[in-house]
Amino acid sequence: MASGNAIRGSRVGAGPMGEAERGESAPRVRVSFWCANGHETQPSFATDAQIPDTWDCPRCGFPAGQDRDNPPAPPRTEPYKTHLAYVRERRSDADGEAILAEALAKLRGEI
């Protein structure tokens, strides 16, 4: 038996009106961006919007620029550093020996 709900299966705001209900969309312009791998991306922008200098390539993730012959260089990724690598940057071997000697003296009860 039908429940009597006439709008079952539709959502709020749905309707056949489309563009007339939402209003006119802003005039658009498509701008080409190229990445270092030669991929072309063409996002669309409103004609009165400020176009960015770079855009992320959706295929490889590298930055893309508007100059096809001179795209921006891919970012340089730094290798992962361990905690020990950061400690070695801050401390010399002599500092490490002094800290170790002090810690061992505390453990032995000499201090």
Side-chain angles (χ1 to χ4, degrees), residues 1-43:
M1 174 172 222
S3 67
N5 189 354
I7 61 170
R8 183 176 178 175
S10 65
R11 59 182 162 72
V12 175
M17 297 294 288
E19 231 16 69
E21 189 175 279
R22 290 190 304 267
E24 297 281 327
S25 59
R28 312 294 267 167
V29 62
R30 287 182 110 24
V31 179
S32 292
F33 289 90
W34 287 273
C35 70
N37 289 334
H39 302 140
E40 181 183 10
T41 305
Q42 288 187 331

Side-chain angles (χ1 to χ4, degrees), residues 45-103:
F45 298 95
T47 53
D48 59 347
Q50 182 179 359
I51 309 289
D53 294 331
T54 60
W55 190 263
D56 289 339
C57 177
R59 291 177 66 188
C60 63
F62 287 168
Q66 294 181 32
D67 186 4
R68 183 180 200 163
D69 299 327
N70 191 15
R76 205 173 141 245
T77 56
E78 295 291 325
Y80 174 76
K81 286 186 186 179
T82 63
H83 177 70
L84 183 58
Y86 284 110
V87 170
R88 286 183 176 160
E89 285 179 2
R90 292 192 313 266
R91 309 258 189 228
S92 67
D93 288 341
D95 292 339
E97 291 294 329
I99 292 170
L100 178 62
E102 181 181 338

